[in-house]
Amino acid sequence: MGFFQFDQQYRSFFRECKISSAKDSEVVCIQEEDTVCESSPWTEMIRRSGFCRKKYKLWEETQGMCIYCGKSILVDDFINGNESDIEHIIPQALGGSSEWNNLTCSCRQCNRSKGDLTAMDYMLSQSSATLQDYLRRLRFLISAGLITKEKYINLMTPKTLLFRKV
Ligand SMILES: [Zn+2]
């Protein structure tokens, strides 16, 4: 199934769940994937579909690629958390938030290898070719208007610049 079909499928799924389309600014915090919800089935469906929509938007933002290695991730795999994760660009261990501009789409292998490094520090630890690909990918995403300027800055920030006083 191609991107267009996935896109149609998920857009119609969200419509069916009566979820109006949210602006990025409204997408503040993503609940933990494993949270067990004990409320009514209807509430659970809304909650889950909202979660899926946020994941879908993160996936769409990188054009279905792992932000770090560029590997393609199927939307179903990302939604279901198969070998792929919502990734904190600035890790929580360094004070990174779970707000939209600090989240992206990553394959599990990169997510695990990255550990508690910032995205930029992780990429600086890779080969020069891999780093260049990453920078090219970011330039494409920002110039195509797919990611916000704030997210771009987070993706380019090494730990040494995190707490710098200007
Ligand atoms: Zn990857």
Side-chain angles (χ1 to χ4, degrees), residues 143-158:
S143 63
L146 289 163
I147 58 171
T148 62
K149 187 174 148 221
E150 290 75 17
K151 187 170 289 196
Y152 179 75
I153 290 169
N154 282 340
L155 287 161
M156 294 287 285
T157 302

Side-chain angles (χ1 to χ4, degrees), residues 18-35:
K18 302 187 196 311
I19 302 289
S20 61
S21 71
K23 299 188 186 90
D24 282 0
S25 57
E26 291 167 350
V27 181
V28 175
C29 181
I30 291 185
Q31 297 187 42
E32 286 301 317
E33 210 167 343
D34 299 328
T35 303

Side-chain angles (χ1 to χ4, degrees), residues 44-102:
E44 170 68 353
M45 192 173 88
I46 293 290
R47 190 190 69 77
R48 286 181 61 84
S49 58
F51 179 71
C52 287
R53 188 191 62 216
K54 288 165 194 168
K55 283 192 101 172
Y56 175 76
K57 284 168 72 69
L58 283 174
W59 176 88
E60 187 179 49
E61 213 179 46
T62 64
Q63 306 279 280
M65 283 184 290
C66 168
I67 193 82
Y68 302 122
C69 68
K71 193 173 85 176
S72 286
I73 297 169
L74 293 176
V75 68
D76 275 359
D77 285 341
F78 189 60
I79 298 281
N80 292 314
N82 295 331
E83 293 306 310
S84 55
D85 297 295
I86 294 177
E87 151 67 14
H88 286 79
I89 297 165
I90 307 293
Q92 291 176 295
L94 295 177
S97 74
S98 291
E99 288 181 9
W100 183 260
N101 287 327
N102 195 42

Side-chain angles (χ1 to χ4, degrees), residues 66-71 73 106-111 122:
C66 168
I67 193 82
Y68 302 122
C69 68
K71 193 173 85 176
I73 297 169
S106 163
C107 75
R108 184 149 304 149
Q109 198 178 341
C110 287
N111 187 21
Y122 174 59

